[in-house]
Amino acid sequence: MASGSSSSNATITNIQSPAQLAQTISGSKIVVADFWADWCGPCKAIAPLYEQLAHQLSRPGKITFVKVDTDAQKEIARGWNVTAMPTFLIIKNGRETSRIMGADGAKLQKAVQNLAKEADSVDQNTGESSVGASDTWLAKPVPQGYADVTNEVESKGLDLLNVDSSIGDAKTLFLGSSPSSLDKGKGKESTAPKKKDWVESDTDEQLMLFVPFMSIVKIHSLQLTSLPPKDSGDEVPMRPKTIKLYTNNAHNLGFEEADDITPTQEVVLDPGAWGEEDGTAKVDLRFVKFQKCSSVVIFVVNGDGDGDKVRLDRIRFIGDTGEKIGSRKVEKVGED
């Protein structure tokens, strides 16, 4: 059977549109994608092995196998920078983690079998999730062509100034779980963590957060979640209003220092920007200015009221990982 023909293998999804692929990726922790072409002899040669692996190792909602006809789905191929066939991509949590170019059956089989072992191991692991784990909570859908890249945050390098140390710290903002305040609103108070899982400013309404990344990232947008109590009063913290962002600093900025530097972008959030149910605002960035980010400083300048404190529960970065040092050169593999 040709690699791209309508497969009788029900465990393989033949992708018909970018939207279908995006939906498949959002619904599965791991997606294995076979990029093929009808004219490609190596694609046809390795097709039976790919179908066998899909039949043996598919896990509903965990490992999904798909085929992408690069001639029919040129937009998808361009979006994933696929120029040689066959190319196999392993996509975890919406982000490419491995690429196999050519009809290398042994390499493909080993990679997919390792994924299956990893998935089975995660099922048995009851430990705490790390930043960017497969169960990371997201309030808003991820735009087509992008992914949640919060797992690229280097948690050990986080630095947050003017934070109330009796509540949460910088790492709290990147917890994979949904905010406990959101769960309380859904009748889940008994499962809320003992420690308050949000941050508040300390002496005034300003916060200065330094976020380093483990690799160069492209940032399309932010998701900021803030869930202050609905009670009125001076003691209730505010949601952020004015935010300034600075890219590619080696360390955090001081408050006076930030005032003297032109930000990469300044954003003013209207009260209507915050979702009524999830308390989350989607902050669209000028993507061209956030193409090669090794770090971001998020400066909360003020809040949306007359209070003295600002509250943040979660932060998510949406975008894509950029080119890494020593990245591979794309070459044509195999012949017709």
Side-chain angles (χ1 to χ4, degrees), residues 153-162 169-171 173-174 207-214 244 246-255 293-300 315 317:
V153 171
E154 176 54 74
S155 59
K156 293 181 180 179
L158 292 169
D159 186 31
L160 181 58
L161 302 182
N162 193 40
D169 58 15
K171 293 181 181 179
L173 296 169
F174 302 101
L207 288 168
M208 189 77 70
L209 173 65
F210 174 69
V211 184
F213 298 105
M214 294 185 289
K244 295 181 179 181
Y246 308 81
T247 57
N248 299 331
N249 290 276
H251 52 75
N252 208 352
L253 301 177
F255 291 99
C293 299
S294 60
S295 70
V296 172
V297 172
I298 300 175
F299 178 20
V300 178
I315 296 176
F317 291 96

Side-chain angles (χ1 to χ4, degrees), residues 98-118:
S98 182
R99 177 178 294 228
I100 300 169
M101 297 173 65
D104 190 334
K107 191 173 182 179
L108 175 64
Q109 187 169 5
K110 182 177 179 180
V112 176
Q113 287 175 341
N114 286 340
L115 284 176
K117 292 179 181 178
E118 178 183 331

Side-chain angles (χ1 to χ4, degrees), residues 222 243-247 263-265 267 285 290 296-298:
L222 304 178
I243 297 172
K244 295 181 179 181
L245 298 111
Y246 308 81
T247 57
T264 307
Q265 184 170 340
V267 178
L285 303 181
F290 294 84
V296 172
V297 172
I298 300 175

Side-chain angles (χ1 to χ4, degrees), residues 74-228:
K74 291 182 172 62
E75 180 181 346
I76 296 177
R78 284 195 301 268
W80 290 94
N81 195 29
V82 173
T83 60
M85 271 59 73
T87 292
F88 299 92
L89 299 188
I90 294 174
I91 304 165
K92 297 173 65 175
N93 308 320
R95 184 173 64 90
E96 177 190 339
T97 61
S98 182
R99 177 178 294 228
I100 300 169
M101 297 173 65
D104 190 334
K107 191 173 182 179
L108 175 64
Q109 187 169 5
K110 182 177 179 180
V112 176
Q113 287 175 341
N114 286 340
L115 284 176
K117 292 179 181 178
E118 178 183 331
D120 292 340
S121 176
V122 169
D123 288 342
Q124 298 171 4
N125 183 8
T126 58
E128 182 178 354
S129 299
S130 59
V131 172
S134 57
D135 60 350
T136 296
W137 174 81
L138 278 173
K140 306 292 186 184
V142 175
Q144 181 179 325
Y146 300 100
D148 175 13
V149 295
T150 311
N151 60 341
E152 293 294 337
V153 171
E154 176 54 74
S155 59
K156 293 181 180 179
L158 292 169
D159 186 31
L160 181 58
L161 302 182
N162 193 40
V163 62
D164 186 339
S165 59
S166 67
I167 306 179
D169 58 15
K171 293 181 181 179
T172 304
L173 296 169
F174 302 101
L175 290 175
S177 59
S178 62
S180 63
S181 296
L182 195 61
D183 290 338
K184 288 180 182 179
K186 298 178 180 179
K188 299 181 180 179
E189 295 189 48
S190 61
T191 62
K194 294 180 180 179
K195 185 176 181 179
K196 296 177 180 178
D197 66 334
W198 64 86
V199 303
E200 291 184 17
S201 59
D202 190 12
T203 59
D204 58 27
E205 58 189 321
Q206 296 188 328
L207 288 168
M208 189 77 70
L209 173 65
F210 174 69
V211 184
F213 298 105
M214 294 185 289
S215 65
I216 302 300
V217 298
K218 304 175 185 180
I219 307 176
H220 169 271
S221 57
L222 304 178
Q223 293 186 14
L224 304 178
T225 302
S226 180
L227 296 162

